[in-house]
Amino acid sequence: MTLLVSLFAWEFDATFDTLGYAILTWGPLKNTFAVLLDIPFVGFTKFNNTIVTGSLAVGLMAYIPVYVIIRVLVALWRKHITPVLGETALAKALNRISLVQKIYELKDNF
């Protein structure tokens, strides 16, 4: 996912920059960010970069909606796509390999 998102994330840099700037210059948080910059390890995170802060905020806001969407897609995949793929000639050939059978048996134990 990181590679996939990295391919088009640069297109959102202007949005991340604007949001990050708004967060970093928000009055109630200015002193907090100033104190955080004095902590040696925190300074290495580059959170004071507007694009870093903006992309972190977008990532945190998108976490739950993306999680729910992925859960729904996985459920649909397992219900509709997996049975169809299991009937293909390739799947049947793979299931005849002893190593694959042993792995499948181990899966049932968990």
Side-chain angles (χ1 to χ4, degrees):
M1 281 308 292
T2 302
L3 292 174
L4 181 65
V5 171
S6 297
L7 292 175
F8 62 88
W10 61 271
E11 293 182 21
F12 296 103
D13 278 354
T15 305
F16 296 153
D17 183 51
T18 304
L19 180 61
Y21 183 78
I23 292 170
L24 290 173
T25 58
W26 189 39
L29 292 178
K30 278 186 179 181
N31 291 334
T32 304
F33 291 135
V35 169
L36 286 174
L37 272 176
D38 291 336
I39 300 172
F41 178 74
V42 177
F44 293 126
T45 63
K46 303 289 186 201
F47 79 89
N48 59 329
N49 183 326
T50 55
I51 295 175
V52 171
T53 301
S55 59
L56 175 65
V58 168
L60 291 174
M61 289 186 291
Y63 180 77
I64 291 179
V66 168
Y67 176 78
V68 171
I69 291 168
I70 295 299
R71 290 285 304 229
V72 169
L73 291 175
V74 167
L76 290 172
W77 178 275
R78 289 179 178 168
K79 184 177 181 181
H80 299 290
I81 306 295
T82 302
V84 172
L85 291 177
E87 296 300 320
T88 63
L90 177 63
K92 289 179 182 178
L94 287 174
N95 286 335
R96 286 192 293 261
I97 299 172
S98 63
L99 178 63
V100 173
Q101 291 173 353
K102 289 179 183 177
I103 292 171
Y104 190 72
E105 290 170 6
L106 286 174
K107 176 191 78 82
D108 291 337
N109 293 332
F110 291 105

